[in-house]
Amino acid sequence: MTEVRSETPAGPAPRHSRRMTGPPVVGRARATACVCQAAGCLSAGSDLVFERVTEQLVSDGVTDVAVKRVGCLGLCAAGPLVEIPETGELFRGVEPENVSALVDRLKVAERVATKPEREPFFARQVKIVLENCGQIDPENIDDYVARQGYSGLTKAVTQMSPQQVIDEVTRSGMRGRGGAGYPTGLKWATVAKQIATPKYVVCNADEGDPGAFMDRSVLESDPHRVLEGMAIAAYAVGATKGYVYCRAEYPLAVQRLKAAIHRAEKAGYLGASISGSPFAFHVELRLGAGAFVCGEETALMASIQGGRGTPVPRPPFPAAHGLWGSPTLINNVETYASVPAIVRKGGEWYSSIGSGKSKGTKVFALAGRIVNSGLIEVPMGIRLRDVIFDIGGGIPDGGTFKAVQTGGPSGGCLPEELLEMSLDYESLVAAGSIMGSGGMVVMDDTSCMVEVARYFMDFCREESCGKCVPCRVGTTQMYLLLTKITEGVATLEDLEQLEKLGDMVRSTSLCGLGQSAPNPVFSTLRYFRNEYLAHIEDRACPAGVCRVSIKEPVA
Amino acid sequence: MTVHTLRIDGVECAGSADQTVLEVARENGIAIPTLCHLDGLCDIGACRLCVVEVRGSTKLLPACTTQVADEMDIETASPRLQEYRRTIVEMLFVERNHVCAVCVANNHCELQARAEELGLTHLDLANVNPKLDVDASHERFAIDHNRCIMCTRCVRVCDEVEGAHTWDVMGRGIDARVVTDLGMPWGESPTCTSCGKCVQVCPTGALFEKGRPVASTKAGRPFLPYLKSREEGRHS
């Protein structure tokens, strides 16, 4: 209560080492204020909200209300968010200077038998990966354990053989949530079959797509879930050592992950003799130094080993020849976070959710020109329109939907006529995009699609490692051509050359970054070719974004 | 050692399991253009000139790092591949400053040779023309970054053969450069043994010996037989 702290609200990084605790509660709390402490709300001052509410309740002598730090509540656009789970009320935009309305409500709030029907943003979601997000204190392992945390791991190591765990994951039909959608069970089985030891389990937390923050939110809100998934995977494939490769730009996720590893070791869920069994598994954290390409698995492994983060040709695949030449299992954050629920409830339960060849749920980060920017989890196969208009709340300020960008720099832009499509791996690929890790950037009629393509090409150009020629020089050349188009000085021959180069970069690049770098260009050319032509033939930008030149084309 | 039979451009070939497509193709007189590959050094699949079509694979595979397998059916010079290769060489020409007429390596340059072989007669792409340094601080050698194509042969020979690891790569994408030690001037490098291997393996005029024509430094390549025997020693 008497802690000295700076007056200016700071970013997500924690400002003091000792955490202020909530007000003392006598007996069972009548109501709880769950204050979101994920990066979005924190940067809007939610840590101050926590302290002001606590101070207010203490000074008013209230002893039957708890105040709790929780992870991401999802509706990031309206932060800082405070939820009273007993009544199902959500307070939005709570300002640290003005918490009296919230405190007044807390003083009288009573648990209600039937909670009010929630708005579509919450009602239409199905939460598996995010089931604890916004419910538990991410830095409190007891909170996680109280919600069946680590029971999947205990079940796996005490009641199941490694093969049974793999069978369960195979039965679930889950596919890798990192982007490519490789069947998770198959990947695990491949690593499990390798004879060489030691084996490694790696968690790819190098999330870097512009507009994507799924992995960050999961790590900030429920870090133990990822560790549990990794430990189950390690048991299944026979690994004894794991690495979480997290980007250093996520200081809060790193801090909570560190704390989670420490507490899980103390509680016997990591380390030697897990849950009393002979199984041992140690996890170490490795921080990325800001290179997008390190999300590519071979570059990621090079970086973990202390080398320069550049991809190497596959095969050999990491499953056979990974970290230090040993068999290595690499999955992303969301994949591991799905595993505890699969082991707990069974693969069949998981495969009953979703559609066709895309089972389960997918976490998406809604960003851009959309009312409800935030984090959502929906069953696979949901219509794109439902995600953007029902859950996302549509376009703000009366704007008109133009396109949604999925899959980041490796993905594509989907136009209005595809709003009825189902969100699954196959449909997205057929539409010229990819599932990717789950970023969704919504654009309205104020966005120029050529400029969008140029933006992503600029991103790929900057993030290319520079090893192979098609990616290193090809992305730069494509960027120069796109710049020419946005400046209104391009010719139809330039457009032809752009397509030719795109085909070459896609076909000959070494790794996924280069192979998919032309995707934003191809998808915008496919659905918005008229905008390219307007820039070239009419020297006009239909969206009024580009400063097109009135000069004659340069020969 | 298992021996596989495969078809390269319609020719029936035999290769042992640890051989690459490139090695088997060259044994059978089938030329696949390369730039970053050099016999005796580890292959990295970076220049992408040697990509080939393998029946049954949707992706093009680099011949230098792809191991042969039974019943492989490989096409090495389809019009599509040749077109890609021409574009790759063209991109190298426009990436930095490659004007053959004023280059020390004129007529002794592998980039120039590839361009001639592939029939690259003119450049359509925009020149990037970055302003790059020349480091002539070493008493015997110099590097002109304007002529470098980032094949990293110098990096590999210095690490794998000389064991000095003076050379490495810094920066990303189009800004990537080869550097001596941690970017210090070559002449001040405490690790460089001045062996000159990097100069001898450089495919272009980027690395050269002061006061000697490139023709004489590159003509003999006296240590290449040693490299070759080292590789054969590994195979036996």
Side-chain angles (χ1 to χ4, degrees):
Chain A
M1 293 303 302
T2 51
E3 271 182 55
V4 181
R5 49 174 309 145
S6 71
E7 288 305 307
T8 46
R15 277 171 289 174
H16 45 88
S17 53
R18 197 171 64 82
R19 291 210 310 171
M20 179 182 179
T21 51
V25 179
V26 182
R28 191 185 159 88
R30 172 175 46 77
T32 316
C34 291
V35 186
C36 176
Q37 302 284 300
C41 286
L42 268 186
S43 51
S46 71
D47 53 344
L48 286 171
V49 170
F50 176 90
E51 296 185 5
R52 295 289 176 272
V53 172
T54 303
E55 283 164 8
Q56 194 70 46
L57 288 170
V58 169
S59 68
D60 291 356
V62 182
T63 55
D64 56 353
V65 172
V67 185
K68 184 174 165 184
R69 296 170 203 264
V70 296
C72 186
L73 282 161
L75 194 54
C76 305
L81 297 168
V82 181
E83 192 184 28
I84 307 179
E86 286 82 2
T87 65
E89 281 168 289
L90 182 71
F91 285 75
R92 298 152 191 249
V94 182
E95 287 168 7
E97 303 80 40
N98 191 5
V99 296
S100 52
L102 171 64
V103 171
D104 290 346
R105 181 71 192 119
L106 281 168
K107 285 176 184 166
V108 295
E110 292 282 349
R111 181 178 295 275
V112 291
T114 48
K115 288 176 190 169
E117 196 173 316
R118 309 201 72 180
E119 57 196 288
F121 179 82
F122 296 100
R124 295 215 50 180
Q125 294 194 44
V126 175
K127 295 199 171 184
I128 296 173
V129 171
L130 304 181
E131 65 178 342
N132 293 335
C133 286
Q135 313 278 329
I136 64 167
D137 180 345
E139 298 194 26
N140 187 342
I141 190 169
D142 297 334
D143 254 23
Y144 179 65
V145 172
R147 289 180 62 96
Q148 293 185 295
Y150 288 113
S151 66
L153 175 62
T154 307
K155 179 182 171 187
V157 298
T158 56
Q159 297 166 30
M160 297 167 83
S161 70
Q163 188 57 45
Q164 281 173 319
V165 176
I166 293 173
D167 289 345
E168 207 62 64
V169 172
T170 307
R171 211 171 297 132
S172 75
M174 183 171 58
R175 294 166 64 177
R177 296 296 193 245
Y182 191 80
T184 307
L186 185 57
K187 199 185 238 183
W188 288 26
T190 313
V191 179
K193 283 208 176 82
Q194 303 292 329
I195 298 155
T197 52
K199 296 180 188 177
Y200 297 98
V201 165
V202 174
C203 175
N204 184 347
D206 193 52
E207 180 177 59
D209 292 359
F213 48 92
M214 299 76 54
D215 296 348
R216 191 197 70 201
S217 294
V218 171
L219 290 172
E220 284 173 0
S221 309
D222 200 2
H224 286 288
R225 189 177 195 82
V226 181
L227 296 177
E228 184 181 356
M230 285 179 74
I232 293 172
Y235 175 72
V237 303
T240 49
K241 176 104 200 191
Y243 291 93
V244 182
Y245 188 85
C246 186
R247 62 193 310 223
E249 293 91 330
Y250 285 173
L252 187 62
V254 168
Q255 179 218 327
R256 291 192 177 155
L257 206 48
K258 254 188 206 160
I261 293 172
H262 180 67
R263 296 205 177 111
E265 276 172 357
K266 281 202 150 179
Y269 295 117
L270 286 180
S273 179
I274 287 174
S275 296
S277 76
F279 170 59
F281 181 58
H282 297 268
V283 176
E284 264 185 52
L285 196 56
R286 285 285 184 278
L287 300 191
F292 177 72
V293 73
C294 285
E296 199 277 343
E297 58 184 14
T298 57
L300 185 149
M301 292 191 304
S303 183
I304 287 181
Q305 290 174 213
R308 181 177 154 87
T310 49
V312 295
R314 297 176 303 181
F317 288 93
H321 189 93
L323 279 177
W324 294 285
S326 292
T328 302
L329 174 74
I330 304 181
N331 280 133
N332 108 315
V333 170
E334 200 184 326
T335 312
Y336 286 126
S338 306
V339 168
I342 292 174
V343 171
R344 222 165 51 220
K345 301 185 187 176
E348 243 155 74
W349 159 80
Y350 191 84
S351 70
S352 69
I353 305 162
S355 74
K357 287 185 188 167
S358 305
K359 302 295 186 194
T361 56
K362 178 79 193 84
V363 180
F364 288 105
L366 297 180
R369 297 288 291 162
I370 189 156
V371 173
N372 297 332
S373 297
L375 195 70
I376 61 162
E377 183 171 3
V378 290
M380 290 270 193
I382 192 172
R383 279 192 320 165
L384 185 56
R385 177 183 293 282
D386 294 348
V387 170
I388 290 166
F389 287 91
D390 264 22
I391 297 173
I395 315 297
D397 311 324
T400 319
F401 175 85
K402 186 176 199 175
V404 56
Q405 212 281 343
T406 70
S410 308
C413 295
L414 307 172
E416 199 185 349
E417 55 262 35
L418 290 179
L419 276 175
E420 304 304 322
M421 76 179 270
S422 122
L423 278 176
D424 58 70
Y425 289 101
E426 279 73 26
S427 307
L428 280 162
V429 169
S433 186
I434 57 164
M435 179 72 76
S437 53
M440 269 198 188
V441 183
V442 180
M443 287 165 272
D444 66 4
D445 47 9
T446 59
S447 289
C448 167
M449 301 316 286
V450 186
E451 180 56 33
V452 168
R454 192 179 86 108
Y455 167 82
F456 280 108
M457 194 50 71
D458 190 26
F459 183 89
C460 290
R461 178 184 71 98
E462 283 209 348
E463 295 298 340
S464 165
C465 76
K467 180 174 178 178
C468 80
V469 185
C471 177
R472 181 179 79 226
V473 194
T475 52
T476 299
Q477 288 292 337
M478 290 181 76
Y479 172 75
L480 291 175
L481 286 167
L482 286 162
T483 304
K484 234 172 138 182
I485 296 174
T486 54
E487 286 172 352
V489 292
T491 60
L492 286 173
E493 287 76 54
D494 289 325
L495 188 62
E496 198 183 311
Q497 191 165 55
L498 180 69
E499 294 187 271
K500 209 182 101 188
L501 271 180
D503 171 51
M504 193 276 300
V505 172
R506 172 149 77 183
S507 305
T508 59
S509 289
L510 195 162
C511 81
L513 193 156
Q515 287 162 9
S516 61
N519 283 357
V521 174
F522 281 131
S523 75
T524 48
L525 270 170
R526 180 166 161 188
Y527 299 115
F528 301 95
R529 200 180 187 90
N530 54 341
E531 288 198 27
Y532 281 82
L533 294 177
H535 283 81
I536 294 168
E537 291 178 332
D538 308 336
R539 318 231 160 269
C541 175
V545 174
C546 306
R547 292 178 55 184
V548 286
S549 156
I550 49 166
K551 279 185 293 185
E552 280 302 297
V554 180
Chain B
M1 183 62 70
T2 327
V3 176
H4 295 304
T5 55
L6 59 154
R7 282 159 66 91
I8 304 179
D9 290 345
V11 180
E12 297 283 350
C13 308
S16 60
D18 65 342
Q19 278 189 299
T20 64
V21 172
L22 182 67
E23 286 169 335
V24 176
R26 289 192 172 166
E27 278 175 11
N28 287 276
I30 298 161
I32 300 176
T34 55
L35 267 177
C36 66
H37 167 85
L38 190 66
D39 282 346
L41 296 181
C42 275
D43 281 311
I44 53 167
C47 74
R48 315 306 285 176
L49 272 184
C50 70
V51 286
V52 293
E53 292 169 0
V54 180
R55 187 187 295 262
S57 166
T58 50
K59 287 187 172 166
L60 303 178
L61 298 173
C64 67
T65 62
T66 303
Q67 234 82 62
V68 294
D70 234 7
E71 304 298 317
M72 258 185 169
D73 191 354
I74 296 163
E75 176 95 55
T76 71
S78 69
R80 174 181 175 224
L81 288 175
Q82 293 296 81
E83 184 60 38
Y84 287 159
R85 288 172 185 155
R86 249 193 306 279
T87 314
I88 288 171
V89 173
E90 181 182 355
M91 290 199 305
L92 284 172
F93 268 93
V94 298
E95 184 187 11
R96 296 190 183 177
N97 189 337
H98 296 283
V99 181
C100 302
V102 296
C103 178
V104 288
N106 193 10
N107 288 327
H108 302 282
C109 170
E110 293 180 42
L111 179 67
Q112 188 182 28
R114 292 301 92 77
E116 281 171 16
E117 289 158 17
L118 291 163
L120 182 72
T121 52
H122 60 284
L123 305 176
D124 284 330
L125 298 168
N127 264 297
V128 180
N129 287 330
K131 278 207 170 107
L132 299 177
D133 295 335
V134 176
D135 180 356
S137 59
H138 193 279
E139 64 170 331
R140 287 174 57 204
F141 312 119
I143 178 164
D144 181 353
H145 289 284
N146 295 287
R147 314 258 195 249
C148 173
I149 58 168
M150 296 300 294
C151 68
T152 68
R153 281 186 193 177
C154 52
V155 177
R156 284 174 284 154
V157 79
C158 190
D159 177 45
E160 295 168 19
V161 181
E162 178 64 8
H165 203 128
T166 301
W167 290 103
D168 212 322
V169 179
M170 65 166 263
R172 273 208 305 253
I174 199 111
D175 300 321
R177 305 274 179 272
V178 290
V179 285
T180 39
D181 290 321
L182 291 171
M184 58 172 54
W186 194 358
E188 292 168 24
S189 161
T191 61
C192 177
T193 60
S194 303
C195 71
K197 290 187 178 69
C198 51
V199 177
Q200 285 172 296
V201 297
C202 180
T204 68
L207 285 159
F208 55 92
E209 191 168 345
K210 293 176 181 173
R212 268 184 81 186
V214 170
S216 70
T217 52
K218 306 218 166 167
R221 297 232 160 121
F223 74 111
L224 275 182
Y226 160 69
L227 285 181
K228 194 72 190 161
S229 69
R230 172 178 171 270
E231 190 189 32
E232 277 160 6
R234 199 170 58 206
H235 280 179
S236 63

